[in-house]
Each structure stands twice: as C-alpha cells, then as structure tokens.
Amino acid sequence: MRIEDKLFINRYQADKHSHIRIVDRGECLKCDFKPCTYMCPAKVYAWNETENRILTAYEGCLECGTCRYCCPPGIIDWRNPRGGYGIQYKFG
Amino acid sequence: MAVKVLRGNCIGCGACVQTCPYDALTLVDGIVEVDPEKCTECGACVAVCPTQALTLEDRKSQNTVERGIERIKEVKGPTQGEAGEYKGVWVFIEHQEGEGAPVSWELLGAGRQLANALEVELCGIILGQGVEKIAQEGVFYGADKVYLVESPVLAQYRSEPYAETIASLVQKYKPEIFLLGATTLGRDLSGRVATLLSTGLTADCTQLSIEKDSRLLLQTRPAFGGNIMATIVCKNYRPQMATVRPRVMPMPQRDPERKGEIIQEKSLVTENEVKTKVVELIREGGSAVYLDKADIIVAGGRGVGSKENFAYLQELADVLGGTLGASRAAVEAGWLPVAHQVGQTGTTVRPKVYFAIGISGAIQHLVGMQTSDVIVAINKDPEAPIFKVATYGIVGDLFTIVPKLTEAFRQKIAGKVAEGGVHLAGKI
Ligand SMILES: Cc1cc2nc3c(=O)[nH]c(=O)nc-3n(C[C@H](O)[C@H](O)[C@H](O)COP(=O)(O)OP(=O)(O)OC[C@H]3O[C@@H](n4cnc5c(N)ncnc54)[C@H](O)[C@@H]3O)c2cc1C
Ligand code: SF4
Ligand code: SF4
C-alpha cells in the first residue's frame, strides 16, 4: 500500500499556498543524506534528480514538525497552515 | 440488505466507520462489522475504503433510477390539491454578451423529452435587455413559448432582481418543472428562487426523467464526490427545480423554421430596491483554462520530466483540440500553472477523453478524473495504479509513444478532412 493511499484516509483542507518553504536551496545541494526525504512520515519531501531540488508536496503534511528538526542546516521555514487549512483529524 | 465485508481485504483503518452517516459500522477486533439494521446501502463507505473491502454488489438494482422508481411507486404523486395546478416545463435561458449559453439549449433539448412525457408545453424564460433575438433562438432550440422580460434593472445579472422577477412569473404561470444550467450564475440564482418559492431544488443533476404515474421528476446527481448516484424527488412542492450540469445533455438540433410564441412580461423590480451594484466586469484573459469544460484533456505528471518536455503533450493537445492538464507533482515542479491541476485539490474533470501521460494514478489524482468517458494511460510502469481505471493502457516510454500517437492522429484527422469532414478543419 502506498503512502498516498493512506494519506487519502485523512481529511485535508489544502491551502493554495505552501506553508513550507525551503529558504536556501543552495544548502540542499551540499546536504549529504537529505534526511527530510525519509524522516517525514507523509513523504512530503522528494529529491528531484533532474532539477536538483527538493519538492515539497505540502498538501499531505501531517503538521508533526519533524522536518524542522531533521534538516541539518535548518533551512526549512515551516509554519502552521492558516486557520481552517491543513490536516483535519477526525477521531484523531 | 447491507454492505458486504470482504474480511480478507479489511485492514481495519476505520475510514468507513468515520464516513458512515448512519453509524452502521464498527471495528471489532480490527475488522469492520456492519449493523444491517442501520445500513441504508448509501455506499459512502464503499467509496472511501482504500482496499475495496466493502461492496454493494448484492444491492437489488445497481441502477439508482430504477430503484428510485420502485420507491416512488409506493408514494402518491400530488396530482390533486395545489400542486396539481402546476403544469409545464420551464428552462431558464442564460446569456452573456448577446449569446445564449450552450447549456440552456441543452436543457431545452432535455426539457423537450420531459414535456413530451408529461404531455405539456416547454417554455423558456429569459431576462435582460435587448435579448429578444436570444429569446427567438430558444424557439429554434425547441421551446413552444419564451417569456421575455426586458428592463434596465435586468441588463446585467444580479441575484436579487433576477430571482424576484422569476419567482413572480413562476407564481403567475405555475410550471411544474423549472430547470437551470449548473453554471456559476445558475447555481447562484437557483438557490435564491427556490427559497423564495419554498420549493425543492436539486443541484448539479446529470440525469432527468419522469415517473409517469406520479408525474414526478426523477433528479439524479452524483453525490460524495461522484462515488454515488442519488435520485431525488420533490413530492409535494412545485415547481420541481433542478440545476443541470453543462455538457451532460445532448445539444438539440437548431431549427430556424420552428415557430413559437414570445410573450413579453414586465419586471416590477426597480433599481432603488436592488442592493447589489455592478461596478465593473472583468474579463479573464484568453489563456484561462477551463479544464472542467474541456472535451479532451492531455494530462502529464512527474514522468514528463521537465517543463520543456510538455511540448510533446502540447503538440498532441493541439492536434486533437484538447487542453493540457497536470498532476499535482507536475504543478509542484512548476511545469504548469496550478489552474491545470486535476484531482482532489485541483479541478474535477469529466472529459470525453483523458490522456494520463507519465501519471502514476495516485488516489488523489484518480478522484478528479476517473469518471472521464475514455481514459488513455501511457506509463512505463505496468504496475502503475492508473491502469486500473484506464480504458486503454500503453506500457512504454512516453517520449516514443506520444510523438507516434500525435502523428497518427494528425494523419487520421487530415484524412477525414480530405474526405470532406470540413468541420474538423478548424482544429488543425
Ligand atoms: C492532501 C493531498 C491532496 C492531493 N491532491 C492532488 C491533486 O489534486 N492532484 C494530483 O494529481 N495529486 C494530488 N496529490 C498528490 C498525489 O498523491 C500524488 O503525489 C501525485 O498525483 C503524483 O503525481 P504523478 O503521478 O505525476 O507522479 P508520480 O507518482 O511520481 O508518477 C510518475 C509516473 O510516471 C511514470 N513515468 C516516468 N517516466 C516515464 C516515461 N518516460 N514514460 C512513461 N511513463 C513514465 C512512472 O512510471 C510513474 O508512474 C495530493 C496529495 C495529498 C496528500
Ligand atoms: S534536509 Fe534540509 S538541507 Fe537537506 S535536503 Fe532536506 S531541506 Fe534540503
Ligand atoms: S511537519 Fe511532519 S508531516 Fe509535515 S512536512 Fe514536516 S515532517 Fe512531514
């Protein structure tokens, strides 16, 4: 079962704008292990080989905050989604 | 009868338990159980189960319209009393910049069938200023009569004067059915009119038919994001109002010889009574995409690889006269603007043909396009979930397949034109 299938069980009110911003993409090029790509439980982060940059599929974010701590240079600017947006846990 | 659980498939995620509006499901030892007393076979759970552990296969009839008719047979139609005074089918004719909206002609086509079934007349109603020509078009598309209300107050669409005027005419002429297109305007207007008249309204119908004995209009519409079809009737109140999705009803033949009556009516609404003022009309630029209105969509995903590579898809789209679509991944990568995104958080589309090129078919994408009439999937991974919903699947590299397809379509269409199919010429 793919992680997307599990995320589909969640309720989201996805905002039009990302609440996650990579502040300095130059740092990602230097980052060896790219921990965001495997620490995030929702697989929000993915490394794009051809474009050499991190993609953030922010809609699936569970708002756990892990990425903020896993990023070695600390360049993930993570904020709570706006009020009313983001994940909406039902029977959470 | 109740939903059936395929115990082997159930992973105990509980999605169905949360979704069931009737509290009919519970998790027992990590597997779902159904309370047949409570289950109404609405199917909401079937739609959310990620592992297809729930089915409604044993349901008496898969066709909700047939089931609807079965149930309606048990109720008495309101042929006597006040509701019985209402006769005739009305279609609201929407217009913009001097032209009738195509959905209005589609509705006249659909309305014709209903009016014939009920043996009543089919009427159009049009509001505006300088719109008599469009009223005449209504006759050409099948109306027996068109009620025409012209007034400076109605020159531009505003909810209040339109709704008030329509409601008073409905009270005067008492049609039993009143249809509007489920456009932005129609959705705004219909709710207001229905409330003024205290009658029932079904939004966004995709199927309409008549149950002859009770004269009731069976209004069928997708619910729960298109996973369930609901057939709704309005038993006791008149008119029975419905908005109908554009492009689901066939366009009737326009007959410029057709004769019909145009009846001038007056609106009693004066400018002082209207609170809404139109300050400015802003036209969206020509590049705006109307994915939900496209007949052919050529959509690309992460597999397309880069913005430049979308040129392959653009070419195919150009040859077919289609519109470009994209998965979230392609939008996220910045290859196409978000207006092109198809899926849960993008646009829900239902074109005649949907090309899914380099799209894996994540459930969030599928929910936005799986009701397309024909789905053509091109993907190098034979296990990709998109093949589960595809009408035609091609396993292979899109960079070899798409140009070949484009070429083949080009020749085919060129051939048609040579044979005299001139109407396609504009698209090449
Ligand atoms: C809350 C939430 C909302 C979401 N909303 C949406 C939404 O509205 N719309 C949406 O689309 N997604 C949405 N998603 C994202 C969704 O889950 C998927 O991540 C996304 O749809 C994947 O896009 P994709 O299929 O293009 O990419 P991938 O899953 O990466 O698939 C790429 C595919 O291309 C194929 N491929 C690669 N190269 C080639 C080649 N040369 N030739 C042929 N095939 C090739 C691969 O085999 C693969 O199957 C949402 C996710 C969440 C959590
Ligand atoms: S962990 Fe931080 S630096 Fe490393 S790839 Fe992810 S976002 Fe970039
Ligand atoms: S907050 Fe949690 S779920 Fe959201 S992106 Fe960061 S790690 Fe992933």
Side-chain angles (χ1 to χ4, degrees):
Chain A
M1 195 178 189
R2 311 195 324 161
I3 185 78
E4 280 114 330
D5 295 343
K6 291 194 180 167
L7 294 179
F8 189 62
I9 298 168
N10 296 334
R11 302 292 146 104
Y12 292 96
Q13 186 66 45
D15 203 345
K16 290 241 181 314
H17 304 283
S18 178
H19 60 289
I20 303 171
R21 203 164 60 88
I22 309 285
V23 180
D24 181 356
R25 294 190 180 274
E27 291 290 343
C28 293
L29 295 171
K30 291 185 242 157
C31 178
D32 287 337
F33 298 110
K34 311 207 186 330
C36 61
T37 61
Y38 54 86
M39 298 273 267
C40 169
K43 224 168 178 304
V44 163
Y45 300 87
W47 182 249
N48 183 311
E49 280 293 340
T50 40
E51 301 193 358
N52 270 327
R53 65 186 203 116
I54 284 285
L55 301 176
T56 48
Y58 69 93
E59 297 103 318
C61 175
L62 305 168
E63 298 167 31
C64 67
T66 306
C67 52
R68 294 200 283 176
Y69 299 100
C70 80
C71 174
I75 49 109
I76 297 177
D77 176 10
W78 190 99
R79 290 154 199 243
N80 272 306
R82 288 193 293 155
Y85 290 96
I87 187 151
Q88 321 213 308
Y89 290 106
K90 194 174 176 194
F91 301 124
Chain B
M1 266 303 163
V3 284
K4 220 165 92 186
V5 180
L6 305 170
R7 294 179 65 90
N9 280 13
C10 178
I11 53 167
C13 72
C16 54
V17 178
Q18 293 179 26
T19 302
C20 176
Y22 304 100
D23 274 334
L25 305 172
T26 38
L27 283 183
V28 179
D29 297 330
I31 290 190
V32 70
E33 276 190 7
V34 189
D35 181 346
E37 295 284 293
K38 290 183 180 164
C39 175
T40 64
E41 300 192 337
C42 76
C45 55
V46 176
V48 297
C49 176
T51 57
Q52 280 93 47
L54 298 162
T55 65
L56 271 178
E57 260 154 38
D58 295 344
R59 187 148 69 174
K60 273 185 235 144
S61 158
Q62 288 291 11
N63 186 331
T64 68
V65 176
E66 278 167 29
R67 290 200 304 142
I69 292 174
E70 270 169 42
R71 289 219 196 138
I72 288 156
K73 290 239 159 95
E74 293 154 23
V75 304
K76 262 217 189 82
T79 29
Q80 326 91 347
E82 213 196 318
E85 295 168 17
Y86 286 74
K87 283 266 156 9
V89 177
W90 276 25
V91 169
F92 173 73
I93 301 176
E94 184 179 333
H95 57 89
Q96 215 168 31
E97 307 190 343
E99 275 191 47
V103 66
S104 304
W105 313 142
E106 292 163 17
L107 284 186
L108 284 171
R112 185 78 264 163
Q113 314 278 323
L114 304 178
N116 289 352
L118 290 167
E119 295 172 20
V120 292
E121 60 187 10
L122 172 66
C123 306
I125 171 164
I126 181 163
L127 281 60
Q129 174 120 45
V131 290
E132 184 164 355
K133 255 190 131 150
I134 310 172
Q136 185 58 51
E137 281 294 306
V139 172
F140 297 158
Y141 281 106
D144 300 315
K145 281 181 191 159
V146 176
Y147 296 98
L148 169 69
V149 197
E150 297 198 283
S151 153
V153 183
L154 304 171
Q156 256 163 2
Y157 173 72
R158 285 177 296 174
S159 325
E160 304 149 277
Y162 267 62
E164 296 281 347
T165 307
I166 291 175
S168 65
L169 285 174
V170 164
Q171 274 159 348
K172 179 169 170 190
Y173 290 103
K174 301 193 188 307
E176 55 191 320
I177 292 174
F178 188 18
L179 307 176
L180 302 89
T183 56
T184 315
L185 188 158
R187 286 171 200 232
D188 176 66
L189 181 61
S190 56
R192 206 164 177 129
V193 173
T195 319
L196 283 172
L197 296 167
S198 305
T199 188
L201 164 70
T202 307
D204 214 14
C205 296
T206 55
Q207 230 177 310
L208 296 172
S209 49
I210 296 288
E211 202 285 303
K212 287 234 172 66
D213 296 340
S214 60
R215 294 178 73 85
L216 285 173
L217 176 66
L218 306 183
Q219 310 160 54
T220 304
R221 58 156 296 165
F224 294 105
N227 290 306
I228 298 171
M229 298 302 277
T231 298
I232 297 164
V233 293
C234 173
K235 263 173 18 188
N236 297 321
Y237 295 90
R238 292 293 174 272
Q240 308 165 73
M241 287 184 62
T243 63
V244 180
R245 217 177 256 198
R247 285 166 178 269
V248 294
M249 305 289 170
M251 179 67 78
Q253 276 289 332
R254 178 179 181 274
D255 174 6
E257 305 292 310
R258 236 182 144 270
K259 296 278 177 287
E261 205 181 335
I262 293 184
I263 299 163
Q264 308 262 1
E265 281 288 342
K266 284 205 169 47
S267 170
L268 298 175
V269 187
T270 59
E271 188 59 43
N272 299 341
E273 293 169 308
V274 185
K275 294 196 197 80
T276 322
K277 308 283 174 227
V278 179
V279 179
E280 193 187 353
L281 272 182
I282 298 169
R283 242 161 239 120
E284 277 190 25
S287 62
V289 276
Y290 294 108
L291 271 184
D292 51 339
K293 298 198 177 76
D295 271 340
I296 297 176
I297 294 177
V298 179
R302 189 158 11 227
V304 175
S306 74
K307 194 170 185 159
E308 291 68 44
N309 288 344
F310 259 91
Y312 290 97
L313 276 66
Q314 182 72 60
E315 232 187 305
L316 178 58
D318 287 348
V319 167
L320 296 172
T323 308
L324 280 188
S327 74
R328 174 71 212 156
V331 170
E332 168 66 32
W335 302 337
L336 277 187
V338 66
H340 292 267
Q341 183 181 325
V342 173
Q344 186 186 358
T345 46
T347 309
T348 300
V349 300
R350 210 200 142 177
K352 299 209 168 79
V353 191
Y354 189 92
F355 288 89
I357 304 175
I359 292 176
S360 62
I363 180 99
Q364 292 88 350
H365 189 78
L366 296 185
V367 292
M369 45 64 78
Q370 62 192 359
T371 54
S372 305
D373 295 350
V374 172
I375 297 170
V376 183
I378 305 172
N379 198 306
K380 63 181 180 189
D381 172 14
E383 303 291 317
I386 190 77
F387 287 123
K388 283 194 208 138
V389 301
T391 327
Y392 303 103
I394 305 173
V395 179
D397 188 352
L398 68 95
F399 299 107
T400 47
I401 293 164
V402 175
K404 277 189 188 155
L405 265 184
T406 309
E407 198 41 46
F409 280 124
R410 186 172 311 187
Q411 302 218 341
K412 190 117 198 165
I413 292 172
K416 280 237 172 86
V417 175
E419 282 162 27
V422 249
H423 56 284
L424 273 166
K427 287 198 173 156
I428 303 175

